[in-house]
Amino acid sequence: MSVGAARVRFALATRNLGKIREVTAIYGHLEIGWVSLMDLPQIGEVAEEGATYAENAAAKARTVSSASGLTALADDSGLEIDALGGSPGVHSARFLGPAATDAERNIRILQLLQELPDPKRTARYVAAVALAHPDGTVHVFEGICEGWIATRPSGAGGFGYDPIFVPRGETRTMAEVPAEVKNRISHRARALRAAEPHLVEILNMPGKDRPAGSAK
């Protein structure tokens, strides 16, 4: 899914349509042409074997940048629930195994917390965004969104654990808030905003008036 015709191209290291929409919306004011992994079939799945979000994001960004010749942006994120000792954490996407659906993961979380009152249902979304350059240099930025776990799924927007996560200051789940609100308060939005000055620096570099990776 190639998004936008702009003077600089970046690789977006994901095939997740929800993430693609969020990243391109948040950075919509920048002159970037995004190339997602759906446009790069030669790049397979990158194993998420790191112990932290930052390690996983950096590994994905570095692999995609090396394979594509473009500066690559990757993220890794997860839901940390205090009553579960911080789980599912970095294993959020693989909680219950790779074949489980988002709905199945959400239902299991609610089952594990079904006896807990609201004050003990605290949780947070955590994201790490990595920018990797073809020379191997990687920069990592992080964002956190505090909140709590609802008692039932609600909302049709978003993806992942959004239907059961209520951000602090909201009564709606992340799947119920409008996209423009999510793109302001979410963990990923905060990490992307932290990364933006570095992106702008890249865009303003001499020689960046042509698509990255093209012939001189």
Side-chain angles (χ1 to χ4, degrees):
M1 180 180 179
S2 183
V3 183
R7 65 186 180 94
V8 180
R9 288 193 302 155
F10 285 77
L12 186 51
T14 185
R15 292 183 175 85
N16 184 309
L17 289 176
K19 289 186 180 183
I20 293 171
R21 283 192 292 267
E22 288 184 11
V23 173
T24 56
I26 290 168
Y27 286 152
H29 59 292
L30 299 178
E31 294 185 9
I32 295 175
W34 294 101
V35 179
S36 79
L37 287 186
M38 295 197 298
D39 305 299
L40 302 167
Q42 72 276 19
I43 303 176
E45 294 297 325
V46 182
E48 296 182 349
E49 300 174 338
T52 66
Y53 307 109
E55 289 178 7
N56 286 332
K60 287 187 285 187
R62 190 180 291 111
T63 297
V64 173
S65 180
S66 176
S68 67
L70 301 171
T71 295
L73 183 149
D75 91 298
D76 190 46
S77 59
L79 177 67
E80 299 181 352
I81 301 172
D82 292 325
L84 300 181
S87 293
V90 293
H91 304 295
S92 292
R94 301 173 298 283
F95 182 60
L96 300 184
T101 65
D102 287 346
E104 290 170 339
R105 284 187 276 266
N106 287 332
I107 289 171
R108 181 55 180 155
I109 292 292
L110 295 180
Q111 290 173 341
L112 292 171
L113 303 182
Q114 62 184 346
E115 302 298 329
L116 287 182
D118 287 352
K120 294 187 177 182
R121 302 175 74 91
T122 53
R124 66 203 50 80
Y125 263 140
V126 182
V129 165
L131 280 167
H133 304 282
D135 66 2
T137 304
V138 180
H139 301 269
V140 180
F141 309 85
E142 295 187 330
I144 298 174
C145 180
E146 297 283 351
W148 56 282
I149 304 299
T151 56
R152 60 182 178 82
S154 186
F159 55 93
Y161 297 96
D162 287 355
I164 63 170
F165 181 80
V166 180
R168 180 181 291 172
E170 273 287 345
T171 58
R172 300 169 292 183
T173 68
M174 196 73 93
E176 292 178 298
V177 300
E180 60 269 22
V181 174
K182 181 181 181 183
N183 290 343
R184 187 176 70 250
I185 67 174
S186 78
H187 55 311
R188 187 171 297 106
R190 291 171 175 171
L192 289 169
R193 281 200 299 274
E196 184 171 333
H198 186 63
L199 273 176
V200 171
E201 182 180 339
I202 296 169
L203 293 174
N204 291 332
M205 288 173 59
K208 286 296 184 181
D209 56 347
R210 58 187 173 77
S214 65
K216 294 184 179 180

